[in-house]
Amino acid sequence: MTTSTLAAVIYEQGQPAVVETLELGDPGPGEVMVKIGGTGVCHSDHNVYSGYRKTEDLPTILGHEGAGIVEKVGAGVHGLDEGDKVVFAIRPMCGKCKYCSTGRWNLCSPITSHTPTAEFRKNETKYFGGVATFTEHTVVWENNVVKVDSEIPLDKAALVGCAVITGVGAVVNRAKVETGSTVAVWGCGGVGLNVIQGAYLAGASRIIAVDINADKFQYATQVGATDTVDASQTDAVEAIRGLTGGGVDYAFEVIGQPATLRQALEATCEGGTAVLVGAAPDDGEVMIPMRHLFLDRALIGCSAGTGRPRYDFQWLIELYKQGRLKLDDLVTRTRPLTEVNEAFRDMEAGAVARTVLVP
Ligand code: APR
Ligand code: ZN
Ligand code: ZN
């Protein structure tokens, strides 16, 4: 049997996404079909749409930050039933590879990953995609979803799967920011705002939000920024050194550009740590003065918030229920899936913290 589903497809990078009806097969062994309840528009989706990150795997279905309800369960699936609320995990969590076996779930090896036997099809065309959440229905490996509290609204839960875990996780799992530390964050998009709220949750004493779009500072302040620096008007590194008397303990780059990564490192104090959170462009290179590292500074990367989705998603949602993790303020706009191109335009214009598409 197949299920008809809308999907946002990229046929050619740099061209608008096409929202059309495809046929999706039933989940095979170890797979589940999920009815999407909400899916966030992340800059990583924009990178594929715009061609900033080149891919040969076309046509491709976008979307990775999503939440939904299990609709069909394949043979041999354990711990997931029809009707369960789930949040998608970007990496699969096979539980067996070197990385999973050593607790580094965010690095789960693609070698052990499982491509669903259920495919999206239209006539003879085969579609690529990851968890493919810019759809009404998708089929994924059981290890790509985490069952979560049935009370959380799906349009908010979606953010937990990428923006929240990537941002909050970078602070608490990767950098392990200590209470009282000073923090600067480059980029106040959906992910950067979650680095800010992660720093707030960690008890950072100063949280300096940096952006070139001053409209973003209202959101940054809402989630805990104590200071803002408009990098289109002022030298951010100088401003941060001035505000902190020599630099921050932790600087997070949440854009994915060589120039801002270098700025982040330069804004740390001696002994400080700069963390790359933004997705690196394939050919991106950064030149850094060796003396910075010689003075006990560290430059580290962070993938998907060094997250352990089965564990981290639960406590993040618990904090949301208690009002301590802000998700409602981050969803600036909800649109139907058919308006995906408009959502990308809002992102380009800096008009939103996050758009959530609701099929
Ligand atoms: N200096 C400061 N801020 C900048 C600069 C710059 N040179 N260039 C862009 N920005 C700001 C934008 O104004 C915007 O507010 O960075 C922010 C990026 O936000 P989004 O486009 O919403 O991106 P987001 O989804 O948060 O993703 C950020 O993290 O996971 C990765 O792939 C993702 O690399 C991307 C990054
Ligand atoms: Zn993302
Ligand atoms: Zn693994």
Side-chain angles (χ1 to χ4, degrees):
M1 215 181 99
T2 62
T3 303
S4 299
T5 175
L6 276 183
V9 182
I10 297 294
Y11 283 93
E12 195 181 334
Q13 292 186 283
Q15 295 300 314
V18 177
V19 181
E20 60 185 334
T21 302
L22 306 179
E23 292 301 315
L24 176 62
D26 275 344
E31 300 168 8
V32 290
M33 181 181 283
V34 179
K35 184 172 192 297
I36 302 293
T39 177
V41 180
C42 174
H43 214 105
S44 299
D45 300 305
H46 191 280
N47 288 344
V48 175
Y49 153 83
S50 69
Y52 185 72
R53 198 175 70 75
K54 295 269 176 289
T55 178
E56 305 281 300
D57 297 339
L58 296 172
T60 188
I61 304 174
L62 295 172
H64 58 277
E65 181 181 275
I69 303 217
V70 175
E71 196 166 271
K72 291 183 184 178
V73 179
V77 170
H78 299 289
L80 290 169
D81 292 308
E82 271 175 45
D84 283 347
K85 267 192 190 174
V86 290
V87 171
F88 291 84
I90 308 170
R91 291 283 191 128
M93 309 180 291
C94 78
K96 291 180 180 150
C97 71
K98 167 178 128 180
Y99 298 103
C100 289
S101 305
T102 50
R104 294 172 291 172
W105 299 87
N106 62 315
L107 301 177
C108 178
S109 168
I111 297 163
T112 54
S113 151
H114 164 103
T115 305
T117 52
E119 292 178 337
F120 288 94
R121 286 200 171 269
K122 186 177 174 184
N123 305 323
E124 288 312 302
T125 309
K126 182 179 176 334
Y127 293 79
F128 294 89
V131 289
T133 58
F134 284 10
T135 52
E136 290 172 306
H137 293 87
T138 188
V139 170
V140 295
W141 193 24
E142 59 180 319
N143 290 324
N144 271 106
V145 289
V146 174
K147 182 178 172 179
V148 296
D149 194 304
S150 62
E151 281 172 38
I152 185 163
L154 291 171
D155 58 335
K156 308 299 184 319
L159 267 57
V160 173
C162 179
V164 175
I165 185 63
T166 304
V168 176
V171 176
V172 303
N173 291 341
R174 183 68 172 123
K176 297 190 164 62
V177 167
E178 305 91 354
T179 302
S181 310
T182 52
V183 171
V185 182
W186 263 256
C188 302
V191 182
L193 291 167
N194 279 292
V195 174
I196 293 171
Q197 74 167 331
Y200 179 81
L201 289 167
S205 61
R206 293 288 281 277
I207 306 172
I208 305 166
V210 184
D211 208 291
I212 48 171
N213 177 354
D215 291 346
K216 295 297 181 84
F217 295 142
Q218 46 171 329
Y219 308 124
T221 310
Q222 258 177 339
V223 293
T226 58
D227 303 84
T228 58
V229 171
D230 184 345
S232 72
Q233 302 295 322
T234 168
D235 180 329
V237 174
E238 284 307 311
I240 288 166
R241 286 198 187 132
L243 283 167
T244 53
V248 284
D249 298 310
Y250 295 94
F252 294 86
E253 200 280 357
V254 204
I255 305 158
Q257 289 175 8
T260 40
L261 182 59
R262 175 164 172 154
Q263 288 167 28
L265 181 68
E266 293 194 326
T268 58
C269 61
E270 292 175 11
T273 302
V275 189
L276 173 66
V277 180
D282 290 338
D283 54 357
E285 289 185 359
V286 61
M287 187 107 81
I288 51 165
M290 283 169 75
R291 68 189 152 77
H292 283 347
L293 301 185
F294 190 63
L295 288 166
D296 272 16
R297 285 185 182 84
L299 174 58
I300 60 177
C302 181
S303 180
T306 312
R308 304 141 303 174
R310 290 198 182 94
Y311 172 70
D312 291 326
F313 290 5
Q314 314 302 342
W315 65 259
L316 287 164
I317 286 171
E318 179 60 29
L319 291 193
Y320 169 72
K321 284 171 66 183
Q322 294 174 17
R324 292 159 70 195
L325 182 83
K326 297 197 166 71
L327 297 180
D328 300 352
D329 298 336
L330 296 181
V331 182
T332 323
R333 184 139 192 197
T334 304
R335 286 178 178 274
L337 180 60
T338 47
E339 292 178 12
V340 56
N341 293 302
E342 286 82 351
F344 282 137
R345 278 205 286 281
D346 281 350
M347 172 173 268
E348 288 159 8
V352 288
R354 208 53 148 192
T355 300
V356 169
L357 302 171
V358 181

